[in-house]
Amino acid sequence: MSFPSVTRNARAVVTGAGSGIGRGFAYELQRRSGAVVCADIDLGHAEETAETIRSAGGKALAVACDVSRLEEVEALAAAAEEFFGQPASLIVNNAGVGVGGNRVEDIPMEDWHWIMGVNLWGVVHGCRVFAPKLRTLGAGGIINVASAASFGAAPLMGAYNATKAAVLSISETLHAEMAGSGVRVAVLCPTFVKTNIIRKSRTTTASRTQGQGMMDKMGMNAEAVACTTLDAIDRGRIHVLPQINARVSWFLKRVSPALFTRGMGLAARRMAKQGLAR
């Protein structure tokens, strides 16, 4: 089945566009002749992304936005509509933070609230604000950035896993609800991507060192991840797993969830014995 492109000449809003995957999406959308509103809690980083796009001959606007606050996402949509002269046609709910290194019962409550505010409520707010506008357009797309953690259930990542599992579920539900509307929904579930999320995360020192080392060694380029995702939504796909290890984990979890989970626990204990995790 052939689908019209929602990523060519898009009027796109990207949250967390100041770095990492969000910046990768912004750059790739500009290469597809799109105009991009680059939103980030750090306006300076958002402006760096927007200026790079403008320097390449593209059209971009930087907007400061804390996605954990509904009123700021509503203001973001209004700013985008004014910038584009019409509603956005594509929203990438990408902004995210990390928490790790503690067992579920040991995660500080302030870390639970922090990560839920960005990773979960940020996506809820983005969908709540932009989905009705896209329904009215009868076209366009929503991309929610989850993670392979959404189904991987890796030990010592309970808070992060929970928020990303919620994003996966919300995306699947929204995909079903958007059926026949002309609006496409995709959810991105990568493993390691070369970003700064671990450096900026609230994690134990051992987990941060280990995680960043794996990210630097094994991580996929953020722009390649963005390109794969945009191609996928253009083909009408909902689940986007850009790396082979994500696809293998997805398959194993679906075939034998109990065995997969035990395997994750065994791997974590082995790493702990090697002094690589708490």
Side-chain angles (χ1 to χ4, degrees):
M1 184 175 180
S2 178
F3 295 91
S5 174
V6 300
T7 69
R8 302 285 173 184
N9 304 301
R11 302 181 303 279
V13 176
V14 181
T15 67
S19 63
I21 295 175
R23 180 169 282 182
F25 270 112
Y27 289 167
E28 181 59 29
L29 285 161
Q30 182 271 321
R31 282 193 285 269
R32 298 178 186 221
S33 302
V36 189
V37 170
C38 306
D40 200 281
I41 196 167
D42 186 321
L43 182 58
H45 288 165
E47 182 57 45
E48 288 174 5
T49 302
E51 180 55 34
T52 299
I53 290 173
R54 290 192 291 263
S55 297
K59 184 179 180 183
L61 173 71
V63 176
C65 181
D66 179 351
V67 297
S68 71
R69 301 176 64 86
L70 176 59
E71 63 271 22
E72 293 201 21
V73 179
E74 291 172 332
L76 170 63
E81 192 161 339
E82 181 178 359
F83 179 64
F84 298 137
Q86 55 186 313
S89 64
L90 179 66
I91 170 68
V92 182
N93 290 309
N94 162 76
V97 294
V99 167
N102 287 308
R103 292 181 291 268
V104 169
E105 68 268 27
D106 297 325
I107 300 169
M109 287 308 301
E110 58 267 30
D111 288 355
W112 275 106
H113 290 297
W114 179 62
I115 197 169
M116 294 285 281
V118 180
N119 291 11
L120 175 55
W121 284 110
V123 172
V124 171
H125 294 157
C127 292
R128 179 180 179 85
V129 170
F130 288 93
K133 298 176 183 294
L134 292 167
R135 281 187 187 275
T136 299
L137 285 175
I142 297 171
I143 296 171
N144 293 328
V145 177
S147 166
S150 64
F151 55 85
L156 306 183
M157 291 178 58
Y160 186 77
N161 295 343
T163 60
K164 294 304 186 178
V167 171
L168 175 59
S169 182
I170 289 168
S171 302
E172 292 174 336
T173 303
L174 187 60
H175 180 269
E177 293 175 347
M178 284 292 188
S181 70
V183 179
R184 269 168 268 166
V185 178
V187 56
L188 170 60
C189 298
T191 51
F192 292 108
V193 183
K194 294 183 187 298
T195 72
N196 291 320
I197 189 170
I198 294 180
R199 289 189 178 93
K200 297 179 179 180
S201 65
R202 297 183 182 182
T203 64
T204 61
T205 300
S207 293
R208 184 181 297 112
T209 301
Q210 175 202 358
Q212 193 61 55
M214 294 177 71
M215 188 82 79
D216 293 341
K217 182 178 180 180
M218 302 169 56
M220 186 175 180
N221 178 272
E223 291 179 50
V225 170
C227 183
T228 298
T229 307
L230 295 173
D231 288 346
I233 196 172
D234 273 345
R235 293 195 297 269
R237 289 175 50 197
I238 173 175
H239 300 104
V240 186
L241 296 94
Q243 298 116 316
I244 185 64
N245 54 355
R247 295 191 290 275
V248 169
S249 295
W250 174 261
F251 173 78
L252 293 175
K253 179 65 177 287
R254 290 166 70 86
V255 170
S256 183
L259 183 61
F260 177 85
T261 303
R262 286 197 296 272
M264 293 293 288
L266 178 62
R269 289 191 293 274
R270 185 174 298 168
M271 292 169 68
K273 287 180 180 179
Q274 294 173 350
L276 296 177
R278 251 181 49 185

